[in-house]
Amino acid sequence: MAEPLRKEDPIVDPLDLPVEDPLLDPEPATDRPLRWIGTPFRRVDGRAKVTGATRFADDLTFPRMCHVKLVRSRIPHGTIRSIDFSAAEKIPGYLGSLTGADTPIPFGILPVSMDEHALCPDRVRFVGDPVAAVAATTEDAAYEAALAVIVEYDPLPTIASVEQAIATPEPRIHEYGDEGNLHKKISMRFGDVEGGFAAADRIFEDLFFYEGNTHLPMEQHATVAVPEDDDRVTVWSSTQTPHYLHRALAKVLELPASRIRVIACSNGGGFGGKSDPFNHEIVAAKMALQLGRPAKIVLHREEVFYCHRGRHPVTMRMKTGVTKEGKITAHHLETALDGGAYGSYGVASTYYTGALETVTYEMPAYQFDGLRAFTNKPPCGPKRGHGTPQPRFGLEVQLDKIAVALGQNPADLRLQMLVPPDTITANWLKLGTVSLDRCIEAVVAGSGFRERWGNLPEGRGLGLACGSYLCGAGLPIYWNHMPQSGVQLKIDRSGCVAVFCGEAEIGQGSDSVLAGIVAEVLGVDLSDLRLCVADTDLTPVDLGSYSSRVTLMMGNAALQAAERARDLIAKAVGDQLEVPADRLVFAERRVFDASDPDKGLAFQDAVIAAEARFGTLGTVGSYIPPRSPGKYRGAGVGPSPTYSYSASVVEVEVDPATGLWRPLHVWIAHDIGRALNPVLAIGQVEGGVYMGLGEVMMEEQAFRRLPRHLSNALVHKFPSMLEYKSPTFLDMPPVTTYLIEDPDPQGPYGAKEVGQGPLLPILPAVANAIYDAVGARVDQVPIHPHMVLKALDAKKKGAEPRYGPKTFPEADYGETLIVPTPAQGGDGTAINEFRGKLRSGMRGVATGTMSTRDEALRQKKALTTKLEDR
Amino acid sequence: MDNGWTSLIFDVNGEPRAAVFPTHHTLLEVLREELALPGTKHGCELGECGTCAVLVDGRPILSCLALAADMKGKKIETVEGLQNGNALHPLQQTMADLGAAQCGYCTPGILMTAKALLAENPSPSDGEIRAALAGNLCRCTGYHKIVEAIVGAAALMRGEDWVAPREVLYGAVEPGGAASSAPTSPPASAVLHLVPNPGDVGALLAAPPSAPGTPPQSEG
């Protein structure tokens, strides 16, 4: 009798694990038609969602639950002189309050910019910045009490724009940052850019502007904190990143992480707006512990606009050199980001505005200069595409101008310079599969682009554009050597397979990806699985739903856990039936001999055999991305196991008399690697198209000054769902979606991302279509009718038929990092970077420049990844 | 009652439900709190998003703008009452199967508005569907799958055989004859009208599509 297994496979350093390639090493015995993968099965949370049974955070109630509301700053910049709760305390039902003095420990999603406090201790930095919190027995009383709190401020000068931030180094909005009110400055040069421009036949220079916009999830942020035992607390929250929230709570509450449990409820939409740890989440936890009773906090819609963390407004200056055949010789991109009042993901966002510029078209020499300014507005952060839609808009519109100037069809221009698969770009990004050619051909054929572009009657036009996005950030938010996703399976004699994973379902279908993969490998039905997700006490860490990482990273971890379980069960069944384990097939809820299908066991009986043989069954799978070849400072933003690609043609109708335009049809092709569930994948594509159209048609996170006789304060122009325009049922044109499958070995079953990529080509395709329709360029988004009219006016006067930014905020980006490209024989490092011990041990991650005092503290503090020490 | 409180016996999903609530509270608040039916959602507090839509005497209204105290003698229907026993309403089936519910937050409001539409117009056109639902915002889907789902549910409710179009489930076929590994026809495992989970087959069989114009659940 074989020895029972005492423990799982020995733990292997994840960095040494070979990349599993299900395509190259198919298991012969399990070679059978796929049952779930590639089929449009009903999403596993579908029934709960259509019956109203899904419990979103605000649907939760607990005994004695109290309600908490925040008091927010009414001025854009100033110091707090006094906070008076005396009127609030008299409100019947009032229970207690918190101020910044109660939340002195700073936090923030990025270790390099932990510049937030749950409640402002002394300074407020935008209209909406939380300064106090009150709790009461009812929500009405909490609202009344919050309104009754009197806060006195001493105003400071307001900084409203990037230009103003550059011109106003003092007073500083924050006491850290690269210079004055510039949070971050970046300058990197890859290859011989000067030589590239000298070798060009033509050089094109353009300015673009991409207005900020916000996620507008249908569900407002909500959190319920429930104290337990003597010193434990459970925090239920609408968050995309329970793990990062967990770390932030441990830091700010000064409790061991093991005493804090974060459960991410199903998000009613996230799109990046629920990936920071938030003021309201910390306040709810603190209030619950202080009062000894569950505390719920829900943001009303106006507050969601202040919470924000949305798309940065970016001004871009783009210079491209091309040969007369249309090959790029050099590219220089400058971006200026309006960051708002806090860091959030902003340092990463700034790097992202430059990082993916090289992954679609061959670009031998590339310079990127970027800066992020602090301003007294709600902080910007990650929104679907995270810093890449802005430069993608500029690049795809500029390429359209280049095509017209060179007399080439925009599709052919791109096709002849596509980056080959499996190459390393000038900025050291390792690419995987690239099926952008098939994407372009699909939308070109579907729309009749080659025949109709340039040939439609006045007022009708077609525009083409492409895009690319990563499949998960290659590095975690905080540096560590641990897996980025983990899945555990518990299988017992009932035949039920319990699947544990820290992933957070935000509507994108991650629960269904997890279930589909496990059910596929084990040959069971989806209803044989029980998912336990997004619970920091119970589930292994998954870093969260951001950067389109979940399908690839969680999927690979799930594959590993399920294959280990399958192998264990196969061993037991094989011995029992006297069949070689590798001839066993797991399908249709059975385990049977491939050469004699009647010889087998029901899955439940197979588990019983394994449980009897090996004891209680449990397996683990984990995933960590491959190391990136880039080693220079800043190389940590951009790498990914692989990249998705999209191409789109949009047909528009423009009225030259009014400038009014509307999209008539969208063709979109997405290089998805493998559609694990095509109906869900199409949902993501159509949702991305919708959101891209919203941004180019109407969405604006814009600000205005109140009249001087009121306060002259800088306030949000449209903090409601009526005024902040988003598309309705009536605004969406027909969408034709092509899912292009070219399996990538990095992804589970070859799958790449689909949640963010399809948004990217939409905006430039629209701008290019408007040009095709009326011969006018609008080099900014959203494209309002008056902009089209102004461009047409210029055209009539014989001036350049363009509307767009005329100036670029000039600033000094600091010393330029010089990084030789792979073609130049580089090794991924910069030649002028200090090669000693990298600051804070954060290899490849931008550290920014802290003030001298903070830097001294950092270097003294021992490097640790223990949550308790953060 | 006075002192700012009202007591009322509501008719919710065909059942009497009693509650005592602050007189100034909206129907939305009372449904979610005192009546413990949190399926109906709030998204904006101002009547701008449609997530709070419920049916009152068969008409869709924004419950965040209606006073609960005004509901005496009125029939209220919420998403919790859509099912027929344990079987899903055809609108629920099609919304779930076509991926027309992603995050699911706008779904209850859309289901109730669609139900009212189909009760009044059993064969709505694409334009009529969109006009009827123009007051319901969705940030996830881009709306097309929701329209498909309503078209499909309407067909099922008229007693027709309806199969989701191939492009809705698999996308358009890549033109130009390029080799694609996407299947050109639904797999053999697709059963009945859609591609339900095996566990839902019983539910579909138990609740056949009802006669045109009649909502599936019995309401006396």
Side-chain angles (χ1 to χ4, degrees):
Chain A
M1 173 143 166
E3 252 187 63
L5 252 66
R6 292 302 177 122
K7 60 180 178 134
E8 258 308 312
D9 298 335
I11 302 300
V12 178
D13 181 350
L15 293 172
D16 293 333
L17 283 173
V19 172
E20 302 203 332
D21 190 336
L23 308 170
L24 294 183
D25 304 307
E27 317 245 352
T30 58
D31 198 9
R32 55 158 176 78
L34 294 171
R35 166 65 185 91
W36 298 109
I37 300 298
T39 71
F41 61 85
R42 173 190 286 181
R43 58 188 298 147
V44 297
D45 54 349
R47 187 184 164 109
K49 284 176 174 171
V50 299
T51 55
T54 303
R55 284 294 164 263
F56 298 91
D58 187 37
D59 298 333
L60 301 174
T61 60
F62 294 87
R64 296 187 71 236
M65 184 173 76
C66 68
H67 296 265
V68 183
K69 296 294 171 193
L70 295 176
V71 179
R72 295 179 180 269
S73 170
R74 293 181 323 274
I75 67 164
H77 195 198
T79 52
I80 301 168
R81 197 191 316 143
S82 63
I83 306 180
D84 179 4
F85 292 99
S86 52
E89 284 162 2
K90 297 193 181 72
I91 305 284
Y94 172 88
L95 290 174
S97 66
L98 293 170
T99 65
D102 300 303
T103 60
I105 299 176
F107 70 96
I109 182 66
L110 294 185
V112 297
S113 54
M114 293 196 168
D115 59 3
E116 299 187 58
H117 292 85
L119 298 168
C120 300
D122 45 32
R123 193 97 88 80
V124 295
R125 296 178 171 88
F126 67 100
V127 171
D129 210 353
V131 303
V134 290
T137 50
T138 67
E139 197 178 12
D140 281 354
Y143 267 129
E144 268 197 74
L147 285 171
V149 175
I150 299 171
V151 187
E152 301 282 323
Y153 304 94
D154 293 312
L156 288 169
T158 301
I159 293 178
S161 67
V162 174
E163 288 82 355
Q164 227 180 333
I166 292 170
T168 320
E170 297 279 342
R172 299 184 83 184
I173 296 174
H174 284 285
E175 295 312 309
Y176 82 101
D178 280 359
E179 182 192 337
N181 280 307
L182 294 185
H183 178 194
K184 182 70 190 167
K185 303 194 293 183
I186 299 168
S187 183
M188 313 195 274
R189 185 181 309 145
F190 306 92
D192 181 9
V193 172
E194 207 179 303
F197 282 124
D201 291 319
R202 294 191 60 168
I203 293 179
F204 293 80
E205 291 193 59
D206 284 289
L207 293 179
F208 300 101
F209 175 65
Y210 197 121
E211 178 63 275
N213 52 63
T214 198
H215 322 81
L216 206 77
M218 293 311 296
E219 180 211 18
Q220 302 108 317
H221 303 66
T223 302
V224 187
V226 182
E228 288 169 47
D229 303 326
D230 290 334
D231 60 351
R232 303 173 72 106
V233 65
T234 297
V235 177
W236 305 75
S237 192
S238 180
T239 177
Q240 300 173 233
T241 50
H243 176 63
Y244 293 137
L245 174 58
H246 190 202
R247 291 173 55 83
L249 286 170
K251 178 180 202 276
V252 174
L253 300 176
E254 292 183 289
L255 280 177
S258 53
R259 307 272 161 80
I260 301 170
R261 179 180 184 189
V262 174
I263 301 172
C265 301
S266 229
N267 285 207
F271 314 110
K274 295 175 178 170
S275 355
D276 286 62
F278 285 118
N279 317 68
H280 61 269
E281 290 168 320
I282 295 165
V283 162
K286 212 142 171 93
M287 199 64 95
L289 287 166
Q290 181 166 295
L291 297 173
R293 59 200 288 178
K296 171 185 275 192
I297 186 163
V298 183
L299 300 192
H300 61 72
R301 179 55 62 177
E302 186 180 343
E303 290 183 284
V304 178
F305 286 94
Y306 302 138
C307 198
H308 193 40
R309 317 295 155 133
R311 202 173 299 300
H312 285 75
V314 182
T315 311
M316 293 161 274
R317 181 159 56 199
M318 197 170 278
K319 179 176 168 188
T320 306
V322 292
T323 65
K324 57 184 181 308
E325 293 82 23
K327 294 270 196 213
I328 296 175
T329 59
H331 184 71
H332 183 184
L333 168 64
E334 297 168 79
T335 63
L337 283 71
D338 182 337
Y342 291 93
S344 181
Y345 283 79
V347 171
S349 316
T350 314
Y351 277 103
Y352 273 124
T353 60
L356 298 197
E357 202 73 342
T358 56
V359 304
T360 37
Y361 313 113
E362 287 179 304
M363 213 175 257
Y366 172 49
Q367 173 151 349
F368 168 59
D369 301 313
L371 65 87
R372 183 183 197 260
F374 284 125
T375 57
N376 294 116
K377 292 184 275 192
C380 297
K383 183 188 173 191
R384 203 173 200 170
H386 196 184
T388 64
Q390 300 94 325
R392 179 57 57 180
F393 175 78
L395 179 60
E396 296 294 321
V397 170
Q398 191 176 67
L399 281 178
D400 201 66
K401 299 184 188 189
I402 291 171
V404 170
L406 296 183
Q408 284 198 34
N409 181 285
D412 295 324
L413 176 74
R414 287 169 172 80
L415 285 167
Q416 55 87 34
M417 59 158 151
L418 290 183
V419 67
D422 300 311
T423 52
I424 302 180
T425 65
N427 58 336
W428 292 90
L429 301 179
K430 170 81 171 60
L431 306 179
T433 55
V434 180
S435 282
L436 184 49
D437 52 345
R438 280 170 62 189
C439 293
I440 293 172
E441 290 297 2
V443 294
V444 160
S447 62
F449 186 79
R450 282 206 173 84
E451 302 76 41
R452 299 166 72 214
W453 179 77
N455 292 326
L456 289 171
E458 174 82 0
R460 289 281 281 256
L462 291 175
L464 169 78
C466 300
S468 174
Y469 199 68
L470 39 98
C471 304
L475 288 181
I477 290 292
Y478 63 96
W479 176 249
N480 67 80
H481 285 288
M482 294 176 285
Q484 296 195 19
S485 190
V487 172
Q488 286 179 320
L489 301 186
K490 166 226 156 221
I491 311 177
D492 68 22
R493 64 196 81 167
S494 70
C496 169
V497 179
V499 185
F500 298 83
C501 179
E503 62 93 358
E505 170 67 64
I506 60 172
Q508 87 284 48
S510 51
D511 282 1
S512 300
V513 169
L514 180 61
I517 289 175
V518 174
E520 185 67 66
V521 172
L522 296 177
V524 297
D525 287 343
L526 296 173
S527 42
D528 290 319
L529 305 182
R530 166 65 65 187
L531 296 189
C532 178
V533 297
D535 185 327
T536 61
D537 265 11
L538 302 181
T539 61
V541 170
D542 175 277
L543 296 184
S545 294
Y546 69 101
S547 76
S548 277
R549 50 178 300 288
V550 180
T551 287
L552 191 145
M553 300 201 190
M554 174 198 76
N556 279 323
L559 256 181
Q560 186 177 58
E563 284 170 349
R564 284 174 170 164
R566 181 197 60 201
D567 294 347
L568 209 56
I569 296 169
K571 199 175 293 192
V573 173
D575 286 353
Q576 182 168 314
L577 298 184
E578 287 168 343
V579 173
D582 63 9
R583 221 167 69 201
L584 289 170
V585 178
F586 284 65
E588 291 160 15
R589 307 176 82 227
R590 294 179 64 230
V591 182
F592 56 91
D593 183 350
S595 356
D596 182 7
D598 287 332
K599 187 173 186 185
L601 297 174
F603 181 78
Q604 181 177 11
D605 294 326
V607 174
I608 287 169
E611 192 172 342
R613 171 80 184 279
F614 298 122
T616 301
L617 301 172
T619 62
V620 178
S622 55
Y623 179 82
I624 194 163
R627 280 201 176 112
S628 163
K631 305 274 180 287
Y632 54 93
R633 187 176 72 243
V637 174
S640 184
T642 185
Y643 301 80
S644 74
Y645 292 88
S646 322
S648 176
V649 170
V650 179
E651 183 165 350
V652 303
E653 179 179 78
V654 185
D655 178 357
T658 59
L660 282 165
W661 65 271
R662 64 188 183 102
L664 295 177
H665 199 118
V666 175
W667 292 265
I668 174 100
H670 185 71
D671 168 18
I672 194 175
R674 178 69 165 269
L676 299 182
N677 180 322
V679 74
L680 297 191
I682 296 167
Q684 289 302 297
V685 174
E686 292 180 346
V689 169
Y690 151 87
M691 201 164 263
L693 284 175
E695 294 192 20
V696 72
M697 288 200 283
M698 57 184 81
E699 294 190 41
E700 290 178 293
Q701 172 97 345
F703 294 82
R704 64 188 176 101
R705 292 280 201 168
L706 289 178
R708 214 166 266 282
H709 67 271
L710 284 182
S711 69
N712 196 35
L714 183 67
V715 298
H716 196 301
K717 238 185 189 179
F718 316 119
S720 80
M721 289 182 98
L722 181 67
E723 297 165 298
Y724 181 94
K725 302 294 183 212
S726 63
T728 69
F729 272 88
L730 298 171
D731 299 306
M732 276 295 289
V735 178
T736 303
T737 300
Y738 305 98
L739 296 178
I740 307 294
E741 291 186 312
D742 172 20
D744 189 312
Q746 296 288 333
Y749 296 94
K752 299 200 285 189
E753 74 85 44
V754 69
Q756 300 190 65
L759 182 151
L760 294 166
I762 301 301
L763 294 95
V766 164
N768 294 340
I770 289 174
Y771 176 77
D772 188 45
V774 292
R777 291 277 181 202
V778 178
D779 288 341
Q780 68 183 73
V781 298
I783 298 178
H784 289 308
H786 74 267
M787 300 175 181
V788 178
L789 278 184
K790 290 220 161 88
L792 287 171
D793 280 345
K795 185 177 173 190
K796 280 190 204 108
K797 295 188 180 114
E800 194 197 352
R802 168 195 181 263
Y803 182 98
K806 295 191 166 38
T807 60
F808 184 82
E810 304 288 349
D812 165 29
Y813 299 104
E815 194 192 344
T816 303
L817 220 55
I818 312 286
V819 183
T821 63
Q824 291 177 312
D827 63 358
T829 60
I831 60 178
N832 59 340
E833 186 179 353
F834 175 54
R835 299 280 213 110
K837 180 178 174 6
L838 285 156
R839 291 195 198 128
S840 310
M842 289 185 187
R843 188 184 339 174
V845 175
T847 59
T849 306
M850 309 288 279
S851 70
T852 357
R853 180 189 69 98
D854 292 339
E855 187 54 47
L857 282 172
R858 267 189 177 278
Q859 283 169 2
K860 276 191 190 153
K861 215 172 165 141
L863 176 65
T864 176
T865 57
K866 280 188 280 196
L867 281 173
E868 295 84 76
D869 292 341
R870 282 281 176 199
Chain B
M1 263 179 106
D2 50 324
N3 287 341
W5 293 85
T6 297
S7 74
L8 200 54
I9 302 176
F10 295 89
D11 174 347
V12 186
N13 298 322
E15 296 170 1
R17 299 286 315 279
V20 178
F21 52 92
T23 305
H24 68 282
H25 270 201
T26 62
L27 175 59
L28 177 65
E29 287 169 290
V30 175
L31 283 171
R32 288 178 56 78
E33 293 161 29
E34 284 83 2
L35 296 179
L37 292 169
T40 308
K41 306 301 179 199
H42 61 80
C44 69
E45 304 91 29
L46 298 174
E48 296 167 352
C49 72
T51 58
C52 69
V54 297
L55 301 187
V56 174
D57 291 338
R59 286 182 59 242
I61 64 140
L62 297 169
S63 61
C64 74
L65 297 181
L67 287 179
D70 278 344
M71 293 296 126
K72 185 173 170 137
K74 304 207 164 121
K75 285 168 47 121
I76 302 165
E77 294 168 77
T78 72
V79 66
E80 286 93 344
L82 261 188
Q83 291 164 248
N84 183 15
N86 204 33
L88 295 178
H89 186 284
L91 277 168
Q92 292 173 311
Q93 290 166 30
T94 57
M95 291 269 298
D97 284 323
L98 297 192
Q102 287 188 25
C103 82
Y105 202 75
C106 73
T107 304
I110 283 179
L111 283 169
M112 300 319 292
T113 310
K115 180 178 186 225
L117 167 69
L118 294 184
E120 188 186 300
N121 181 354
S123 302
S125 65
D126 181 279
E128 285 168 331
I129 293 172
R130 289 176 186 275
L133 279 127
N136 295 80
L137 295 180
C138 170
R139 279 302 266 175
C140 293
T141 64
Y143 302 111
H144 291 325
K145 293 221 174 306
I146 299 174
V147 174
E148 271 301 331
I150 294 171
V151 166
L156 292 173
M157 288 165 70
R158 294 191 301 267
E160 295 162 21
D161 278 333
W162 180 81
V163 179
R166 192 212 169 273
E167 312 82 64
V168 172
L169 298 178
Y170 292 94
V173 177
E174 194 180 341
S180 166
S181 55
T184 53
S185 62
S189 55
V191 294
L192 298 177
H193 306 291
L194 301 163
V195 190
N197 291 335
D200 292 314
V201 171
L204 268 180
L205 291 171
S210 56
T214 315
Q217 67 258 44
S218 55
E219 271 180 299

